[in-house]
Amino acid sequence: MSESLYPRLAAALATPDIEQKLAFTAAIASDWQAGLLDWQGAPAPALSCGIPDKPELVPPKLVPQRSPQTEEGRARLLHAIVHIEFSAINLALDHAARFPGLPKQYYADWIGVAAEEAYHFTILRERLNSLGYDYGDFPAHAG
């Protein structure tokens, strides 16, 4: 018996916990590949996007310049890219959850995108960690 895809997507999208979002995304991708998720079931009733406490989200004009001339500037630039990847995970999960009744390949594609973005987030975050920083150490914008 397969489980409905939509509540799983909604839970992954809604969690503000970064590690949990990554784990949920990986589990959805794995279960989708194994044929364990029903994409024809009823969608989740409401969707919300979980935003972690960090990074602080500020208007784009208030994000400090990110000069590649200094180590901190390079870390800030990398942090911005990591933030883009995190946002892309949420966008892919949202696209898969928001539009029921589409062909199966639509969900396969967006679940694949979410998994790829989670991988990108993870490897770029590891690089940021190697510079002595983590995701959330610098402000970001949601513009």
Side-chain angles (χ1 to χ4, degrees):
M1 177 138 179
S2 35
E3 181 182 357
S4 177
L5 170 65
Y6 300 104
R8 297 274 301 274
L9 290 167
L13 180 63
T15 185
D17 182 274
I18 295 167
E19 299 307 324
Q20 192 172 48
K21 187 176 297 284
L22 295 171
F24 282 175
T25 301
I28 290 167
S30 176
D31 289 350
W32 177 263
Q33 289 295 320
L36 301 176
L37 297 173
D38 176 18
W39 58 278
Q40 296 175 314
L47 296 175
S48 65
C49 185
I51 305 295
D53 292 335
K54 288 183 169 188
E56 175 188 7
L57 297 179
V58 299
K61 291 182 180 182
L62 296 182
V63 175
Q65 289 292 321
R66 300 178 282 260
S67 169
Q69 304 306 320
T70 67
E71 186 171 315
E72 183 178 309
R74 289 188 292 278
R76 285 181 179 274
L77 182 59
L78 183 56
H79 185 273
I81 297 167
V82 172
H83 181 65
I84 290 167
E85 297 298 332
F86 185 79
S87 298
I89 298 166
N90 282 331
L91 285 170
L93 292 169
D94 182 78
H95 280 16
R98 187 168 301 274
F99 304 106
L102 295 174
K104 184 177 182 180
Q105 190 59 48
Y106 175 85
Y107 305 102
D109 289 347
W110 282 113
I111 291 166
V113 169
E116 287 175 10
E117 299 303 347
Y119 172 69
H120 299 158
F121 173 87
T122 300
I123 61 173
L124 289 166
R125 184 183 188 194
E126 288 171 359
R127 175 65 180 127
L128 183 63
N129 293 160
S130 77
L131 298 175
Y133 299 93
D134 196 7
Y135 179 58
D137 286 349
F138 302 109
H141 68 82

